[in-house]
Amino acid sequence: MKSNGTAVEDWLRGDWMSTYSGGRFWPSDPRAEDINPLDIAHALSMLCRFGGHIRIFYSVAEHCVLMSEAVAPENALAALLHDATEAYVVDVPRPLKNILPDYRRIEEKVEGVIAERFGVDMHSSPEVKEADNRILLTERDTLMSHAVKPWIQDGIFTPLPVQIEGWSPVEAERRYLDRLNFLWTDHE
């Protein structure tokens, strides 16, 4: 979505980034009207999980679609969108994210406007958080030939029973958008 603000209003919002759809996004002043589903699907389809430290390309978009299909229907949209912030603030691996409080603050603001845009409570279900921990084990076992074990999830969670294929970015974007269109009932 393009900004309808004046040059002064845009300047007051701080630095902005260009999005795939041709819009602008202000990380320091995110707004729901700046969130575009196409930007999310495209960016997540191009981001590789685990900072690329895996055997094959596996996108954040594929990760989100798989989680969305694995949880109860009432949690599917929240699961699909659980990493949507990464379209705007990139995928920072969890161990690094945990020691970056400023990143966490920005990510939480972006998550809030994404939740507003799609009318979803991102924290209403413990099932989504559990699925995110479980899929880590599935991803590790499928994608990391030399992963050091154990991980904190070992012994607490069982792997999420999903099939990781390593979709191309084009396929991942299409599947993400298809899933979003299926789940999101408040289209404009």
Side-chain angles (χ1 to χ4, degrees):
M1 301 182 137
K2 299 201 188 282
S3 168
N4 293 328
T6 67
V8 172
E9 289 171 13
D10 290 349
W11 179 80
L12 290 173
R13 290 182 71 186
D15 288 337
W16 53 269
M17 54 189 264
S18 294
T19 65
Y20 173 72
S21 67
R24 292 191 284 178
F25 184 79
W26 288 261
S28 62
D29 187 18
R31 297 181 186 171
E33 62 266 19
D34 297 330
I35 303 297
N36 184 321
L38 179 59
D39 291 331
I40 293 171
H42 182 78
L44 296 185
S45 76
M46 301 292 278
L47 287 174
C48 189
R49 292 273 294 157
F50 301 100
H53 293 279
I54 50 181
R55 289 185 308 99
I56 62 171
F57 179 80
Y58 170 64
S59 70
V60 174
E62 182 175 352
H63 162 84
C64 292
V65 170
L66 293 175
M67 275 189 52
S68 170
E69 293 172 344
V71 298
E74 63 270 18
N75 297 321
L77 183 58
L80 184 68
L81 295 169
H82 84 281
D83 281 339
T85 58
E86 295 172 9
Y88 302 100
V89 297
V90 304
D91 182 17
V92 174
R94 193 181 293 186
L96 182 57
K97 189 184 291 188
N98 287 338
I99 60 171
L100 297 172
D102 289 341
Y103 175 90
R104 283 277 196 200
R105 182 183 49 75
I106 293 164
E107 182 183 45
E108 287 169 4
K109 284 175 66 175
V110 173
E111 182 178 66
V113 298
I114 288 171
E116 178 185 344
R117 173 75 165 95
F118 293 101
V120 65
D121 181 351
M122 303 293 272
H123 302 286
S124 66
S125 168
E127 182 188 24
V128 173
K129 184 68 174 165
E130 180 180 326
D132 202 22
N133 280 303
R134 291 180 66 199
I135 201 169
L136 281 173
L137 296 174
T138 308
E139 292 165 343
R140 177 197 65 195
D141 295 345
T142 303
L143 301 167
M144 298 178 169
S145 306
H146 306 289
V148 177
K149 295 179 184 179
W151 283 14
I152 196 167
Q153 291 82 0
D154 285 318
I156 299 171
F157 299 103
T158 58
L160 195 66
V162 296
Q163 183 66 44
I164 294 170
E165 298 175 13
W167 302 333
S168 71
V170 170
E171 182 176 0
E173 180 178 335
R174 179 186 56 77
R175 286 189 175 198
Y176 190 98
L177 283 172
D178 287 350
R179 187 76 174 144
L180 182 60
N181 286 328
F182 175 75
L183 295 170
W184 185 37
T185 58
D186 295 331
H187 287 88
E188 298 175 333

